[in-house]
Amino acid sequence: MIKVGIIGVGTVGQSVANILEKNKALIGARAGKEISVVKGVVSNINKKRDVSIPLSDNVDDILDDDSIDIVVELMGGVDEPYKIVQKALSNGKAVVTANKALLAYHRYDLQKIAQDIPIGYEASVAGGIPIINALKVGLSANQITAIKGIMNGTCNYMLTKMMQEGVRYEDILQEAQDLGYAEADPTFDVGGFDAAHKLLILASIAYGIDAKPEDILIEGIENIGQDDIAFAKEFNYSIKLLAIAKKINTKIELRVHPVLIRNDQMIAKIDGVMNGVSVIGDCVGETLYYGPGAGGDATASAVIADIIEIVRAGQSSPMLGFKRPFQSENLILMPKEEIESEYYLRMLVDDAPGVLASIAQILGKHNISIETFLQRPSDNNKKATLLCATHECQEKYIIAAIKEIESLQSVNAKIVMIRIES
Ligand code: HSE
């Protein structure tokens, strides 16, 4: 019998224990051995939990128990779980974790420490969608041209409600939290960090690239307003928080930010709390993975798949998918300023002669070509909202142009910029 200890028996942990019990015979047949959760560790022992396993509040009750084969880490955070996972590995225990923040910072250290001890982390990206396995195994013949993922259910739920029901940003965050999809600190969701952690994990498997959250462009959905939603509707776009990895020659572009994306693109159709990841490979073309990215049972489905795989095959492939470094291309991270995109700008300006001309002149000076320009009347009749879409240009030029436009006397607020994903 394989013995499992769970550290962090919250929503996902309870589901893991209960599903392993409910589907015991089937899972045992698939794994070839009976799998049993023998202990759980929690921070608050007095809190009632819906599980029948013995609970303790001391991690060493699992880490120092020689009979336990697999440690499931579901506690969240970075430093504390890093210490715990290191100790589990040094005690020879396999590890399964859903902790994307831990992996965003320490995946390469953990791979090194683990050597041949298995570490499973399917649940860390897009919850129940088996995207890690798809990239590591199913698409391993391919050069990955691009990954575009909607990998934060909270943001996708909020943006969908804003687009479809006209709900305002401020009124929808609480609802998303109440539904139980948001992180303990929801700024991780709306600020784009949760999606960035997931993107970094996928980029390691796709490209073997070791980047940290602070190395990449991360923007959240906090500034999306009603005018942006109206523009998107009028011009047949959806607004999504997209995590993007692209291979451009020997440079890898990694970024997370809201985008305006044409409604006819497959990824634009992923609505509500659901996640979707499009992966383009040079042999296979575009593949799309869709499903629940959060929630107890859906995430537990991925955690248990890792447990079964460990029992069945041990470390069937290296943690991040590369048996030896892939050096022939010397891939590097593309500097943020070199990223190319089309841009949408929203500007609150004085409604006065020459204002539009001065803005157009600044854009022209930075070699930015305008695709669409719209003026909307404002509630205050001395002000106007200008909405502008540009043709493709490098990030550094649009940033410089925005700075210069913002310094005009006639521009009354910070400009909202959204990238257009074509
Ligand atoms: N807070 C995350 C989300 C949960 O909203 O998708 C899964 O990582």
Side-chain angles (χ1 to χ4, degrees):
M1 183 173 69
I2 296 295
K3 292 189 178 171
V4 174
I6 302 178
I7 300 177
V9 191
T11 313
V12 178
Q14 292 175 68
S15 285
V16 170
N18 293 332
I19 294 169
L20 276 169
E21 201 48 47
K22 180 173 81 130
N23 291 350
K24 200 176 190 71
L26 172 73
I27 289 170
R30 287 198 167 129
K33 283 184 187 155
E34 190 182 321
I35 299 170
S36 194
V37 181
V38 293
K39 250 177 231 173
V41 164
V42 292
S43 53
N44 177 2
I45 196 83
N46 298 315
K47 197 167 151 190
K48 175 119 189 59
R49 286 170 177 86
D50 177 27
V51 284
S52 53
I53 53 170
L55 296 176
S56 124
D57 57 6
N58 180 358
V59 283
D60 290 332
D61 288 344
I62 287 181
L63 299 176
D64 292 334
D65 181 338
D66 290 338
S67 76
I68 290 180
D69 308 284
I70 301 176
V71 173
V72 175
E73 184 277 305
L74 299 171
M75 58 190 288
V78 176
D79 296 341
E80 197 55 27
Y82 184 41
K83 284 188 209 136
I84 287 171
V85 169
Q86 286 184 80
K87 184 166 179 190
L89 292 169
S90 68
N91 286 354
K93 300 181 192 310
V95 171
V96 174
T97 178
N99 190 333
K100 56 245 156 169
L102 168 69
L103 295 169
Y105 286 97
H106 294 300
R107 60 201 182 282
Y108 283 94
D109 312 325
L110 288 173
Q111 179 175 250
K112 208 161 155 194
I113 297 164
Q115 301 281 340
D116 287 332
I117 302 171
I119 301 185
Y121 54 100
E122 183 62 74
S124 65
V125 180
I129 305 174
I131 186 67
I132 304 281
N133 200 49
L135 270 175
K136 230 167 110 170
V137 181
L139 300 177
S140 54
N142 288 260
Q143 304 243 19
I144 303 299
T145 321
I147 300 173
K148 293 182 191 178
I150 293 175
M151 299 194 290
N152 185 273
T154 302
C155 288
N156 207 37
Y157 179 80
M158 292 171 68
L159 291 170
T160 304
K161 283 269 187 179
M162 288 165 74
M163 284 291 294
Q164 293 180 354
E165 295 172 29
V167 186
R168 296 170 69 89
Y169 176 89
E170 306 77 49
D171 301 326
I172 192 71
L173 178 59
Q174 186 60 49
E175 201 180 312
Q177 285 178 272
D178 293 344
L179 285 165
Y181 294 115
E183 297 300 301
D185 174 357
T187 54
F188 268 72
D189 296 297
V190 294
F193 304 104
D194 173 76
H197 293 160
K198 295 165 180 168
L199 179 70
L200 291 169
I201 296 168
L202 296 187
S204 284
I205 307 170
Y207 305 111
I209 198 151
D210 182 6
K212 302 271 187 296
E214 39 286 353
D215 303 328
I216 69 167
L217 195 162
I218 306 173
E219 285 173 16
I221 63 166
E222 302 96 325
N223 296 324
I224 308 284
Q226 301 290 306
D227 285 321
D228 312 320
I229 300 284
F231 178 91
K233 283 189 173 157
E234 190 170 335
F235 290 92
N236 258 327
Y237 289 108
S238 286
I239 300 183
K240 298 288 179 193
L241 181 79
L242 216 57
I244 299 171
K246 277 187 197 163
K247 181 173 182 292
I248 301 183
N249 302 318
T250 57
K251 291 190 180 161
I252 302 298
E253 217 181 279
L254 296 179
R255 49 193 169 108
V256 174
H257 49 70
V259 296
L260 285 153
I261 186 163
R262 291 226 171 266
N263 282 330
D264 57 9
Q265 297 230 6
M266 281 201 290
I267 198 96
K269 301 181 202 310
I270 288 155
D271 283 333
V273 76
M274 299 307 266
N275 281 198
V277 188
S278 154
V279 183
I280 303 175
D282 65 340
C283 331
V284 71
E286 182 170 14
T287 58
L288 184 72
Y289 307 84
Y290 171 83
D297 284 2
T299 309
S301 159
V303 169
I304 296 170
D306 277 341
I307 297 174
I308 295 172
E309 190 52 20
I310 288 169
V311 175
R312 189 153 55 186
Q315 182 76 301
S316 56
S317 61
M319 180 187 163
L320 296 168
F322 284 84
K323 276 222 178 236
R324 55 172 194 236
F326 177 55
Q327 278 158 341
S328 65
E329 282 195 294
N330 289 322
L331 297 178
I332 55 160
L333 190 64
M334 180 182 281
K336 293 172 200 174
E337 323 77 70
E338 285 179 28
I339 288 169
E340 290 197 6
S341 179
E342 294 161 28
Y343 297 88
Y344 156 94
L345 306 176
R346 165 162 53 91
M347 298 163 273
L348 182 67
V349 300
D350 292 340
D351 196 359
V355 171
L356 201 141
S358 56
I359 291 172
Q361 199 231 340
I362 292 173
L363 289 170
K365 194 178 94 183
H366 290 276
N367 216 9
I368 298 167
S369 171
I370 296 167
E371 203 249 350
T372 310
F373 224 129
L374 271 184
Q375 175 167 340
R376 300 236 199 261
S378 148
D379 297 343
N380 174 344
N381 64 8
K382 296 243 166 47
K383 307 276 173 217
T385 298
L386 298 181
L387 307 176
C388 166
T390 74
H391 288 291
E392 198 165 79
C393 74
Q394 275 196 347
E395 190 90 2
K396 62 179 168 225
Y397 297 122
I398 197 82
I399 299 288
I402 289 174
K403 206 166 157 208
E404 203 172 326
I405 296 169
E406 280 177 341
S407 72
L408 295 173
Q409 285 270 310
S410 50
V411 175
N412 304 143
K414 263 190 88 61
I415 293 174
V416 172
M417 178 259 271
I418 306 177
R419 293 166 190 83
I420 301 173
E421 184 60 22
S422 47

